[in-house]
Amino acid sequence: MSARESSLDTVQRELTAFARRARAAAARMHPELSLVAYTILAHLEEQQGCRATDLAAYYLLDKSTVSRQVASLEQLGFIERRVDEADHRVQVLHLAPGGIEILTAARARRQESIQVRLAAWDPEDLERFARYLVRYNADAAVHP
Amino acid sequence: MSARESSLDTVQRELTAFARRARAAAARMHPELSLVAYTILAHLEEQQGCRATDLAAYYLLDKSTVSRQVASLEQLGFIERRVDEADHRVQVLHLAPGGIEILTAARARRQESIQVRLAAWDPEDLERFARYLVRYNADAAVHP
DNA sequence: ACGTTGTGTTGTAGAGTGCAACAATATCAG
DNA sequence: CTGATATTGTTGCACTCTACAACACAACGT
Protein backbone atom coordinates (compact mmCIF):
# COMPACT_ATOMS: atom_id res chain seq x y z
CA MET A 1 0.00 0.00 0.00
CA SER A 2 1.47 3.37 -0.98
CA ALA A 3 1.87 6.20 1.50
CA ARG A 4 -0.98 8.03 -0.17
CA GLU A 5 -3.31 5.05 0.04
CA SER A 6 -2.35 4.59 3.64
CA SER A 7 -3.20 8.21 4.44
CA LEU A 8 -6.50 7.98 2.60
CA ASP A 9 -7.30 4.82 4.50
CA THR A 10 -6.54 6.48 7.80
CA VAL A 11 -8.61 9.55 6.96
CA GLN A 12 -11.56 7.39 6.04
CA ARG A 13 -11.32 5.18 9.09
CA GLU A 14 -10.90 8.02 11.56
CA LEU A 15 -13.68 10.11 10.07
CA THR A 16 -15.98 7.10 10.19
CA ALA A 17 -15.11 6.47 13.81
CA PHE A 18 -15.73 10.09 14.61
CA ALA A 19 -19.06 10.17 12.82
CA ARG A 20 -20.17 7.08 14.65
CA ARG A 21 -19.58 8.71 18.01
CA ALA A 22 -20.80 12.18 17.23
CA ARG A 23 -24.48 11.63 17.88
CA ALA A 24 -24.07 10.01 21.26
CA ALA A 25 -21.46 12.60 22.22
CA ALA A 26 -23.80 15.43 21.28
CA ALA A 27 -26.61 13.86 23.28
CA ARG A 28 -24.34 13.72 26.32
CA MET A 29 -23.20 17.30 25.91
CA HIS A 30 -26.63 18.89 25.39
CA PRO A 31 -29.47 16.42 25.91
CA GLU A 32 -32.08 19.06 25.20
CA LEU A 33 -30.85 19.62 21.65
CA SER A 34 -30.26 16.78 19.19
CA LEU A 35 -27.34 16.93 16.82
CA VAL A 36 -29.67 17.75 13.95
CA ALA A 37 -31.46 20.45 15.90
CA TYR A 38 -28.18 21.95 17.03
CA THR A 39 -26.85 21.89 13.49
CA ILE A 40 -29.92 23.58 12.10
CA LEU A 41 -29.83 26.32 14.71
CA ALA A 42 -26.13 26.91 14.10
CA HIS A 43 -26.79 27.00 10.37
CA LEU A 44 -29.53 29.56 10.83
CA GLU A 45 -27.26 31.70 12.93
CA GLU A 46 -24.62 31.71 10.25
CA GLN A 47 -27.00 32.24 7.38
CA GLN A 48 -29.96 34.26 8.47
CA GLY A 49 -32.87 33.77 6.17
CA CYS A 50 -32.60 30.14 5.24
CA ARG A 51 -35.19 28.02 3.46
CA ALA A 52 -36.07 24.47 4.48
CA THR A 53 -35.07 23.23 1.07
CA ASP A 54 -31.60 24.68 1.51
CA LEU A 55 -31.18 22.83 4.77
CA ALA A 56 -32.30 19.58 3.17
CA ALA A 57 -29.87 19.97 0.30
CA TYR A 58 -26.96 20.94 2.50
CA TYR A 59 -27.37 18.19 5.06
CA LEU A 60 -28.51 15.50 2.63
CA LEU A 61 -31.85 15.13 4.37
CA ASP A 62 -35.26 14.49 2.92
CA LYS A 63 -37.45 17.58 2.82
CA SER A 64 -40.02 15.83 4.98
CA THR A 65 -37.41 15.27 7.66
CA VAL A 66 -36.44 18.90 7.64
CA SER A 67 -40.08 19.90 7.67
CA ARG A 68 -40.66 17.95 10.87
CA GLN A 69 -37.50 19.20 12.51
CA VAL A 70 -38.41 22.75 11.67
CA ALA A 71 -41.93 22.29 12.99
CA SER A 72 -40.56 20.91 16.22
CA LEU A 73 -38.04 23.72 16.60
CA GLU A 74 -40.76 26.28 15.97
CA GLN A 75 -43.04 24.74 18.54
CA LEU A 76 -40.23 24.91 21.07
CA GLY A 77 -39.86 28.59 20.29
CA PHE A 78 -36.34 28.22 18.92
CA ILE A 79 -37.01 29.42 15.40
CA GLU A 80 -39.55 31.51 13.50
CA ARG A 81 -41.05 30.93 10.08
CA ARG A 82 -41.84 33.92 7.96
CA VAL A 83 -43.57 33.51 4.63
CA ASP A 84 -41.52 35.05 1.85
CA GLU A 85 -43.42 37.97 0.36
CA ALA A 86 -41.85 37.46 -3.03
CA ASP A 87 -42.71 33.76 -3.18
CA HIS A 88 -45.55 32.54 -1.01
CA ARG A 89 -44.40 28.92 -1.22
CA VAL A 90 -41.23 29.77 0.65
CA GLN A 91 -40.84 30.01 4.40
CA VAL A 92 -37.81 31.91 5.52
CA LEU A 93 -36.39 30.55 8.76
CA HIS A 94 -34.93 32.75 11.47
CA LEU A 95 -33.59 32.17 14.93
CA ALA A 96 -36.02 33.16 17.66
CA PRO A 97 -34.76 34.58 20.96
CA GLY A 98 -35.23 31.22 22.65
CA GLY A 99 -33.19 29.59 19.92
CA ILE A 100 -30.35 32.03 20.31
CA GLU A 101 -30.31 31.37 24.01
CA ILE A 102 -30.24 27.60 23.84
CA LEU A 103 -27.80 27.60 20.94
CA THR A 104 -25.43 29.77 22.91
CA ALA A 105 -25.62 27.47 25.91
CA ALA A 106 -25.18 24.30 23.87
CA ARG A 107 -22.26 25.73 21.96
CA ALA A 108 -20.58 26.84 25.17
CA ARG A 109 -20.76 23.29 26.47
CA ARG A 110 -19.43 21.91 23.21
CA GLN A 111 -16.61 24.41 23.17
CA GLU A 112 -15.69 23.67 26.72
CA SER A 113 -15.49 20.00 25.89
CA ILE A 114 -13.42 20.51 22.78
CA GLN A 115 -11.13 22.92 24.56
CA VAL A 116 -10.27 20.34 27.18
CA ARG A 117 -9.82 17.77 24.48
CA LEU A 118 -7.47 19.87 22.38
CA ALA A 119 -5.70 21.67 25.20
CA ALA A 120 -2.33 20.13 24.40
CA TRP A 121 -2.36 21.06 20.74
CA ASP A 122 0.04 23.64 19.35
CA PRO A 123 -1.68 26.67 17.85
CA GLU A 124 -0.20 25.88 14.45
CA ASP A 125 -1.45 22.31 14.52
CA LEU A 126 -4.87 23.51 15.58
CA GLU A 127 -5.01 26.07 12.84
CA ARG A 128 -3.88 23.60 10.20
CA PHE A 129 -6.36 20.99 11.41
CA ALA A 130 -9.15 23.54 11.16
CA ARG A 131 -8.12 24.45 7.63
CA TYR A 132 -7.95 20.82 6.59
CA LEU A 133 -11.44 20.18 7.90
CA VAL A 134 -12.83 23.17 6.05
CA ARG A 135 -11.16 22.01 2.90
CA TYR A 136 -12.35 18.44 3.32
CA ASN A 137 -15.97 19.50 3.79
CA ALA A 138 -15.74 21.81 0.83
CA ASP A 139 -14.42 18.94 -1.29
CA ALA A 140 -17.16 16.70 0.04
CA ALA A 141 -19.75 19.22 -1.06
CA VAL A 142 -18.34 19.22 -4.59
CA HIS A 143 -17.95 15.42 -4.84
CA PRO A 144 -20.86 14.15 -2.82
CA MET B 1 -11.89 36.11 19.67
CA SER B 2 -8.31 34.83 19.81
CA ALA B 3 -6.76 32.84 17.01
CA ARG B 4 -6.92 29.75 19.17
CA GLU B 5 -10.59 30.20 19.93
CA SER B 6 -11.26 30.78 16.28
CA SER B 7 -9.53 27.56 15.33
CA LEU B 8 -11.37 25.62 18.00
CA ASP B 9 -14.63 27.08 16.75
CA THR B 10 -13.86 26.06 13.20
CA VAL B 11 -12.87 22.54 14.21
CA GLN B 12 -16.07 22.14 16.13
CA ARG B 13 -18.28 23.50 13.38
CA GLU B 14 -16.70 21.49 10.60
CA LEU B 15 -16.69 18.26 12.54
CA THR B 16 -20.35 18.78 13.35
CA ALA B 17 -21.18 19.41 9.72
CA PHE B 18 -19.29 16.30 8.75
CA ALA B 19 -20.97 14.14 11.36
CA ARG B 20 -24.36 15.35 10.24
CA ARG B 21 -23.72 14.23 6.68
CA ALA B 22 -21.91 10.99 7.37
CA ARG B 23 -24.93 8.75 7.76
CA ALA B 24 -26.68 9.82 4.60
CA ALA B 25 -23.39 9.70 2.72
CA ALA B 26 -22.73 6.16 3.91
CA ALA B 27 -26.22 5.10 2.93
CA ARG B 28 -25.62 6.43 -0.56
CA MET B 29 -22.26 4.74 -0.89
CA HIS B 30 -23.27 1.27 0.34
CA PRO B 31 -27.03 0.97 0.84
CA GLU B 32 -26.76 -2.65 1.94
CA LEU B 33 -24.61 -1.77 4.95
CA SER B 34 -25.55 0.91 7.48
CA LEU B 35 -22.88 3.11 8.99
CA VAL B 36 -23.05 1.17 12.25
CA ALA B 37 -22.88 -2.17 10.51
CA TYR B 38 -19.97 -1.07 8.40
CA THR B 39 -18.17 0.29 11.42
CA ILE B 40 -18.65 -2.91 13.38
CA LEU B 41 -17.39 -5.05 10.53
CA ALA B 42 -14.36 -2.82 10.07
CA HIS B 43 -13.70 -2.91 13.79
CA LEU B 44 -13.87 -6.70 13.80
CA GLU B 45 -11.46 -6.88 10.91
CA GLU B 46 -8.96 -4.74 12.75
CA GLN B 47 -9.37 -6.45 16.07
CA GLN B 48 -10.21 -10.08 15.58
CA GLY B 49 -11.87 -11.51 18.64
CA CYS B 50 -13.95 -8.62 19.87
CA ARG B 51 -16.64 -8.73 22.55
CA ALA B 52 -19.97 -6.98 22.19
CA THR B 53 -19.27 -5.01 25.35
CA ASP B 54 -16.07 -3.63 23.83
CA LEU B 55 -18.00 -2.41 20.81
CA ALA B 56 -20.58 -0.74 23.03
CA ALA B 57 -17.92 1.02 25.07
CA TYR B 58 -15.92 2.12 22.08
CA TYR B 59 -18.82 3.49 20.08
CA LEU B 60 -20.79 4.86 23.03
CA LEU B 61 -23.72 2.58 22.29
CA ASP B 62 -26.01 0.77 24.68
CA LYS B 63 -25.27 -2.93 25.00
CA SER B 64 -28.80 -3.72 23.83
CA THR B 65 -28.21 -1.79 20.63
CA VAL B 66 -25.00 -3.66 19.95
CA SER B 67 -26.73 -6.93 20.78
CA ARG B 68 -29.37 -6.32 18.14
CA GLN B 69 -26.87 -5.16 15.55
CA VAL B 70 -24.74 -8.20 16.17
CA ALA B 71 -27.74 -10.51 15.91
CA SER B 72 -28.69 -8.92 12.61
CA LEU B 73 -25.18 -9.18 11.24
CA GLU B 74 -24.98 -12.82 12.27
CA GLN B 75 -28.29 -13.64 10.62
CA LEU B 76 -27.00 -12.06 7.42
CA GLY B 77 -23.96 -14.31 7.61
CA PHE B 78 -21.52 -11.43 8.04
CA ILE B 79 -20.15 -12.36 11.45
CA GLU B 80 -19.85 -15.40 13.69
CA ARG B 81 -20.30 -15.65 17.45
CA ARG B 82 -18.12 -18.08 19.35
CA VAL B 83 -18.62 -18.63 23.05
CA ASP B 84 -15.43 -17.98 24.98
CA GLU B 85 -14.29 -21.20 26.57
CA ALA B 86 -12.62 -19.36 29.45
CA ASP B 87 -15.72 -17.30 30.28
CA HIS B 88 -19.02 -18.66 29.12
CA ARG B 89 -20.74 -15.30 29.43
CA VAL B 90 -18.60 -13.89 26.64
CA GLN B 91 -19.22 -14.21 22.93
CA VAL B 92 -16.20 -13.54 20.81
CA LEU B 93 -17.13 -11.97 17.50
CA HIS B 94 -15.38 -12.80 14.27
CA LEU B 95 -15.87 -11.84 10.66
CA ALA B 96 -17.53 -14.54 8.59
CA PRO B 97 -16.61 -15.04 4.91
CA GLY B 98 -19.71 -13.15 3.83
CA GLY B 99 -18.75 -10.27 6.07
CA ILE B 100 -15.26 -10.08 4.65
CA GLU B 101 -16.73 -10.01 1.18
CA ILE B 102 -19.26 -7.25 1.78
CA LEU B 103 -16.85 -5.23 3.89
CA THR B 104 -14.29 -5.34 1.12
CA ALA B 105 -16.84 -4.18 -1.44
CA ALA B 106 -18.18 -1.39 0.76
CA ARG B 107 -14.72 -0.17 1.65
CA ALA B 108 -13.72 -0.14 -1.99
CA ARG B 109 -16.65 2.10 -2.78
CA ARG B 110 -15.83 4.39 0.15
CA GLN B 111 -12.21 4.58 -0.86
CA GLU B 112 -13.06 5.35 -4.42
CA SER B 113 -15.27 8.18 -3.26
CA ILE B 114 -12.70 9.61 -0.88
CA GLN B 115 -9.98 9.30 -3.47
CA VAL B 116 -11.89 11.44 -5.92
CA ARG B 117 -12.68 13.88 -3.16
CA LEU B 118 -9.08 14.27 -2.01
CA ALA B 119 -7.44 13.91 -5.40
CA ALA B 120 -6.04 17.44 -5.35
CA TRP B 121 -4.43 17.17 -1.92
CA ASP B 122 -0.65 17.14 -1.57
CA PRO B 123 0.72 13.98 -0.01
CA GLU B 124 2.09 15.97 2.92
CA ASP B 125 -1.27 17.60 3.61
CA LEU B 126 -2.99 14.26 3.38
CA GLU B 127 -0.55 12.66 5.75
CA ARG B 128 -0.81 15.51 8.23
CA PHE B 129 -4.60 15.48 8.03
CA ALA B 130 -4.60 11.77 8.74
CA ARG B 131 -2.31 12.24 11.74
CA TYR B 132 -4.47 15.05 13.10
CA LEU B 133 -7.58 12.92 12.88
CA VAL B 134 -5.91 10.04 14.67
CA ARG B 135 -4.74 12.38 17.36
CA TYR B 136 -8.14 14.01 17.69
CA ASN B 137 -9.92 10.70 18.08
CA ALA B 138 -7.35 9.56 20.60
CA ASP B 139 -7.92 12.74 22.59
CA ALA B 140 -11.68 12.26 22.32
CA ALA B 141 -11.33 8.78 23.75
CA VAL B 142 -9.43 10.17 26.74
CA HIS B 143 -11.75 13.14 27.32
CA PRO B 144 -15.15 11.77 26.33
C1' DA C 1 -23.44 -21.32 49.48
C1' DC C 2 -24.88 -16.76 48.61
C1' DG C 3 -24.70 -12.11 47.28
C1' DT C 4 -22.37 -9.20 43.83
C1' DT C 5 -20.63 -8.20 39.43
C1' DG C 6 -20.24 -8.77 34.43
C1' DT C 7 -22.25 -10.15 29.78
C1' DG C 8 -25.75 -10.39 26.85
C1' DT C 9 -31.05 -10.63 25.48
C1' DT C 10 -35.76 -9.02 25.21
C1' DG C 11 -39.78 -5.77 25.96
C1' DT C 12 -41.05 -1.19 25.31
C1' DA C 13 -41.15 3.37 23.81
C1' DG C 14 -39.60 7.24 21.28
C1' DA C 15 -36.85 9.84 17.89
C1' DG C 16 -35.14 10.15 13.10
C1' DT C 17 -35.54 9.02 8.53
C1' DG C 18 -37.08 8.20 3.55
C1' DC C 19 -40.68 7.49 0.21
C1' DA C 20 -45.08 8.46 -1.76
C1' DA C 21 -49.02 11.25 -2.11
C1' DC C 22 -50.77 15.63 -1.59
C1' DA C 23 -51.78 20.97 -1.44
C1' DA C 24 -50.43 25.47 -2.58
C1' DT C 25 -47.86 28.58 -5.28
C1' DA C 26 -45.03 29.98 -9.19
C1' DT C 27 -43.40 29.72 -13.97
C1' DC C 28 -43.66 28.97 -18.69
C1' DA C 29 -45.51 27.62 -23.31
C1' DG C 30 -49.09 28.28 -26.38
C1' DC D 1 -55.16 34.19 -20.40
C1' DT D 2 -55.01 29.15 -19.69
C1' DG D 3 -53.32 24.92 -18.83
C1' DA D 4 -49.19 22.09 -18.08
C1' DT D 5 -45.11 21.73 -15.36
C1' DA D 6 -41.97 22.71 -11.55
C1' DT D 7 -41.03 24.12 -6.81
C1' DT D 8 -41.88 24.27 -1.82
C1' DG D 9 -43.50 22.33 1.98
C1' DT D 10 -46.75 18.97 4.75
C1' DT D 11 -48.69 14.56 6.02
C1' DG D 12 -49.32 9.36 6.16
C1' DC D 13 -46.83 5.36 6.58
C1' DA D 14 -43.29 2.07 7.55
C1' DC D 15 -38.95 1.11 9.03
C1' DT D 16 -34.48 1.51 11.59
C1' DC D 17 -31.78 3.01 15.40
C1' DT D 18 -31.54 3.91 19.97
C1' DA D 19 -31.83 3.98 25.18
C1' DC D 20 -33.74 2.34 29.40
C1' DA D 21 -35.49 -1.26 32.33
C1' DA D 22 -36.04 -5.89 33.55
C1' DC D 23 -34.28 -10.20 33.04
C1' DA D 24 -31.30 -14.72 32.55
C1' DC D 25 -27.01 -16.74 32.98
C1' DA D 26 -22.15 -17.17 34.22
C1' DA D 27 -18.24 -15.87 37.14
C1' DC D 28 -16.16 -14.20 41.29
C1' DG D 29 -15.85 -12.74 46.01
C1' DT D 30 -16.60 -13.60 50.92
Side-chain angles (χ1 to χ4, degrees):
Chain A
M1 193 189 283
S2 75
R4 179 177 192 86
E5 281 168 355
S6 170
S7 295
L8 283 169
D9 198 55
T10 302
V11 167
Q12 183 203 298
R13 181 158 25 85
E14 297 298 320
L15 281 176
T16 303
F18 167 79
R20 188 52 214 80
R21 291 200 239 195
R23 187 172 301 238
R28 240 177 329 103
M29 264 182 284
H30 39 77
E32 74 286 358
L33 216 55
S34 78
L35 182 58
V36 194
Y38 173 83
T39 307
I40 289 179
L41 291 186
H43 194 101
L44 286 185
E45 190 189 46
E46 252 184 88
Q47 279 192 298
Q48 285 279 346
C50 192
R51 301 177 307 156
T53 300
D54 299 336
L55 289 175
Y58 190 74
Y59 293 108
L60 303 179
L61 291 167
D62 193 78
K63 54 187 179 173
S64 65
T65 300
V66 173
S67 172
R68 281 181 251 265
Q69 291 282 344
V70 164
S72 163
L73 288 172
E74 188 198 27
Q75 198 159 21
L76 289 166
F78 295 165
I79 68 176
E80 287 171 10
R81 296 195 263 197
R82 305 176 193 158
V83 172
D84 186 352
E85 283 309 312
D87 185 339
H88 283 210
R89 296 170 303 182
V90 173
Q91 298 176 353
V92 185
L93 307 174
H94 293 268
L95 276 181
I100 295 173
E101 195 177 327
I102 201 159
L103 174 61
T104 304
R107 178 161 42 211
R109 236 167 303 166
R110 290 176 78 85
Q111 271 176 351
E112 190 183 342
S113 165
I114 207 170
Q115 240 163 33
V116 171
R117 195 174 298 167
L118 301 184
W121 285 49
D122 289 340
E124 313 95 73
D125 284 335
L126 211 50
E127 201 268 334
R128 260 204 298 248
F129 187 35
R131 268 194 292 122
Y132 285 155
L133 285 170
V134 171
R135 185 176 175 193
Y136 177 86
N137 277 339
D139 288 350
V142 175
H143 303 286
Chain B
M1 187 188 287
S2 75
R4 179 178 192 85
E5 282 168 354
S6 170
S7 295
L8 282 169
D9 197 57
T10 302
V11 168
Q12 184 201 297
R13 182 159 25 82
E14 296 298 320
L15 281 177
T16 303
F18 168 78
R20 187 52 216 82
R21 290 199 240 194
R23 188 172 301 241
R28 242 179 328 102
M29 262 182 283
H30 39 77
E32 74 287 358
L33 218 52
S34 78
L35 183 57
V36 195
Y38 174 82
T39 308
I40 289 180
L41 291 187
H43 194 101
L44 286 185
E45 189 189 45
E46 250 184 89
Q47 281 192 300
Q48 285 281 344
C50 192
R51 300 178 308 157
T53 301
D54 299 337
L55 290 174
Y58 189 76
Y59 293 108
L60 302 179
L61 290 168
D62 192 78
K63 54 185 177 171
S64 65
T65 302
V66 173
S67 173
R68 280 182 247 264
Q69 291 283 343
V70 164
S72 164
L73 287 173
E74 188 198 26
Q75 196 160 23
L76 288 166
F78 295 166
I79 68 176
E80 287 172 11
R81 297 196 261 197
R82 306 176 193 160
V83 173
D84 186 353
E85 282 311 310
D87 185 340
H88 282 211
R89 296 171 302 182
V90 174
Q91 299 178 353
V92 185
L93 307 175
H94 292 268
L95 277 181
I100 296 173
E101 194 178 327
I102 202 161
L103 174 60
T104 304
R107 178 162 42 211
R109 236 168 300 168
R110 289 176 80 85
Q111 271 176 350
E112 188 182 345
S113 165
I114 208 172
Q115 241 163 33
V116 170
R117 195 175 297 166
L118 301 184
W121 286 50
D122 289 341
E124 312 95 74
D125 284 335
L126 210 50
E127 202 269 338
R128 262 204 296 250
F129 187 36
R131 268 194 293 125
Y132 286 156
L133 286 170
V134 170
R135 185 176 175 193
Y136 177 86
N137 278 338
D139 289 349
V142 175
H143 302 286

